[in-house]
């Protein structure tokens, strides 16, 4: 990928920083769109071009997109916060309006990229029971499912510009530096962690290294298109996940967390934890992707060692 020219949004986030480092190591020419370009320049080395973009309110700058081979779109307001009316609006605008404004910039680009990789989430499927869900499963119900469906619809419009479109429906990312795992660690490290809301709901997880691996595969392989479940091939119940995390930390994981307690703390957002979906990466496996961390116990040990 040494000859690739790639523009990224969300490049200073948890996954963005990893992808940026991987692309930089392979010699790609990188451009970052950021709502705070001065801060982005401070955090990134000088070999990365940075352009300002207020994603929810304006078209992406065409000059930062023109002549590139691909755009990787990861920008979005963090999901893991209490969903007030204001936060819900920000979650929607940052994803739906942000992607629409990215497409406006792509339409105006003199020489358009050939590929758009756009983030989504397994929240697309809504709460489900034990049935495995591949990429052919329909959108579910609920606030997060509705946002994901609208978000993906905007991204798919890049196909009208003769671009290949890959949409990564990301599961629970294992990275001790941030995201869901970082929030789980304190109670487990104190020995007071355990299954949530009965523990039967499924957690469809993925190691952060494999998120980057899937993106890299989509960048170099033209067979990749449409929705791709960015989850490991072995989803587990919340109870089994809690036990595995306890083993990785050498701590007990027996104290149950009532669903009502989470609802009181996080409100509607708690449904992400108290419900679940058994999502499988059917397309990635068919396309021959080999997961670096397919099993939970090893994946947790790896994530916690970083």
């Amino acid at each position: 990928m040494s000859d690739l020219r790639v523009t990224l949004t969300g490049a200073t986030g948890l996954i963005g920083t990893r992808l940026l480092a991987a692309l930089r190591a392979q010699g790609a020419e990188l451009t970052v769109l950021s709502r705070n370009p001065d801060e982005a320049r401070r955090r990134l080395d000088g070999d990365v071009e940075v352009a300002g973009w207020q994603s929810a309110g304006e078209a992406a700058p065409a000059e930062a997109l023109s002549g590139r081979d691909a755009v990787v779109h990861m920008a979005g307001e963090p999901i893991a916060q209490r969903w007030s009316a204001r936060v819900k609006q920000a979650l929607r605008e940052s994803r739906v309006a942000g992607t629409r404004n990215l497409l406006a910039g792509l339409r105006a680009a003199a020489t358009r990229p050939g590929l758009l990789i756009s983030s989504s989430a397994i929240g697309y499927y809504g709460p489900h029971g034990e049935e495995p869900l591949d990429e052919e499963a329909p959108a579910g119900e609920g606030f997060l499912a509705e946002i994901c469906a609208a978000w993906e619809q905007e991204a798919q419009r890049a196909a009208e510009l003769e671009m290949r479109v890959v949409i990564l429906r990301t599961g629970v990312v294992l990275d001790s530096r941030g995201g869901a795992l970082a929030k789980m660690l304190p109670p487990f490290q104190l020995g007071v962690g355990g299954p949530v809301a009965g523990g039967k709901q499924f957690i469809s997880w993925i190691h952060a290294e494999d998120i980057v691996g899937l993106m890299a595969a989509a960048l170099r392989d033209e067979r990749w298109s449409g929705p791709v479940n960015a989850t490991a091939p072995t989803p587990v119940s919340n109870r089994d996940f809690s036990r595995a995390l306890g083993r990785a930390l050498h701590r007990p994981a027996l104290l149950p967390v009532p669903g009502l307690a989470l609802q009181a703390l996080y409100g509607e957002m708690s449904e992400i934890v108290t419900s679940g979906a058994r999502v499988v990466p059917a397309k990635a496996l068919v396309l021959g992707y080999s997961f670096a961390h397919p099993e939970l116990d090893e994946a947790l040990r790896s994530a916690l060692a970083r």
Side-chain angles (χ1 to χ4, degrees), residues 127-151:
H128 274 76
E130 296 186 1
E131 76 276 21
L133 302 170
D134 65 14
E135 288 85 354
E136 299 300 318
E141 298 180 351
F143 172 69
L144 190 54
E146 186 272 330
I147 281 185
C148 287
W151 187 11

Side-chain angles (χ1 to χ4, degrees), residues 77-243:
E77 181 78 10
I79 289 286
Q81 54 182 311
R82 194 178 182 90
W83 293 348
S84 65
R86 181 192 60 79
V87 168
K88 279 187 170 184
Q89 182 179 0
L91 290 171
R92 166 177 281 278
E93 287 185 353
S94 67
R95 286 163 173 78
V96 181
T99 305
R100 185 181 303 130
N101 287 332
L102 176 64
L103 266 289
L106 287 167
R107 287 190 190 93
T111 306
R112 284 191 202 106
L115 169 64
L116 171 64
I117 299 176
S118 185
S119 293
S120 183
I122 60 170
Y124 173 90
Y125 301 109
H128 274 76
E130 296 186 1
E131 76 276 21
L133 302 170
D134 65 14
E135 288 85 354
E136 299 300 318
E141 298 180 351
F143 172 69
L144 190 54
E146 186 272 330
I147 281 185
C148 287
W151 187 11
E152 292 188 13
Q153 185 177 30
E154 293 295 336
Q156 289 284 16
R157 288 181 175 147
E160 300 169 5
L161 305 178
E162 299 183 349
M163 297 177 66
R164 177 165 60 96
V165 181
V166 179
I167 294 174
L168 288 182
R169 294 173 180 162
T170 303
V172 174
V173 178
L174 302 188
D175 189 324
S176 61
R177 301 176 306 165
L181 181 60
K183 288 181 170 59
M184 295 178 196
L185 286 177
F188 277 87
Q189 288 169 330
L190 292 171
V192 293
V196 173
K200 293 182 180 180
Q201 69 277 24
F202 270 84
I203 293 181
S204 298
W205 59 273
I206 185 168
H207 192 287
E209 184 179 334
D210 276 314
I211 291 280
V212 173
L214 290 169
M215 290 179 173
L219 279 167
R220 65 175 178 259
D221 189 340
E222 292 189 356
R223 296 177 303 156
W224 290 62
S225 66
V228 174
N229 288 338
T231 58
T234 52
V236 298
S237 70
N238 181 279
R239 181 182 293 109
D240 288 342
F241 187 96
S242 297
R243 290 170 176 166

